[in-house]
Amino acid sequence: FPGVVYSYDQEGVHRAGSGWEQCISVPLVQPDMPELLQHWDELLEEFSLEEAWLPQRYEEQQHNCYTFALAFVNRVRRGRGREPLSKAQFTERFLIPHTREASRYLTLHQELAHTDFYIVPLPEQEQDS
């Protein structure tokens, strides 16, 4: 879906509207909460401008894009009165389930790509009158 992706590396914070088509989107907000999504956009912009995310602060193992994402999620959680997540908790609750699902789809796609299949749409079910 369209949007802006924020990332952080040795050059600082980047904002991109394309180039992330092969990434996995991990939803953290219910889609029926547009006011919260708008609020997150504003918070993320403010957060990305903080000194912590200057290029010279980047460190490959301890202060990286993962740190950026987790710190933002924890900032929002604190604002809602919730406990911050550790790296392990964030990975286990949010990232692993989505990467497993993506892996299953990629495996299925590879199997289908290397096998001749013809997919026939099912006829529409007759509606009871």
Side-chain angles (χ1 to χ4, degrees):
F1 60 96
V4 174
V5 174
Y6 284 68
S7 61
Y8 174 65
D9 63 16
Q10 62 273 13
E11 297 174 4
V13 175
H14 303 275
R15 294 158 192 80
S18 63
W20 290 85
E21 292 79 13
Q22 298 294 316
C23 73
I24 298 171
S25 175
V26 178
L28 299 173
V29 176
Q30 297 295 328
D32 60 344
M33 301 177 74
E35 69 288 344
L36 187 55
L37 289 173
Q38 177 65 36
H39 183 62
W40 272 45
D41 288 347
E42 294 163 6
L43 287 176
L44 183 53
E45 181 59 28
E46 291 173 15
F47 178 79
S48 70
L49 297 173
E50 293 178 3
E51 282 189 34
W53 313 114
L54 291 172
Q56 59 269 29
R57 299 272 176 108
Y58 181 84
E59 199 281 308
E60 190 172 341
Q61 298 298 318
Q62 297 298 320
H63 195 75
N64 52 36
C65 199
Y66 188 91
T67 311
F68 177 83
L70 180 56
F72 176 71
V73 168
N74 281 333
R75 171 80 52 89
V76 172
R77 289 177 64 86
R78 276 194 305 276
R80 300 186 75 208
R82 302 180 77 187
E83 291 292 318
L85 298 170
S86 68
K87 285 184 177 184
Q89 290 170 320
F90 184 64
T91 301
E92 187 176 314
R93 289 188 202 171
F94 294 99
L95 303 183
I96 289 176
H98 291 282
T99 54
R100 281 191 183 135
E101 184 179 7
S103 177
R104 285 195 300 268
Y105 280 112
L106 288 171
T107 300
L108 178 60
H109 179 267
Q110 289 171 346
E111 291 292 324
L112 291 173
H114 298 304
T115 311
D116 293 330
F117 279 96
Y118 181 70
I119 299 174
V120 179
L122 294 173
E124 291 185 32
Q125 292 182 342
E126 294 179 11
Q127 294 182 355
D128 296 331
S129 44

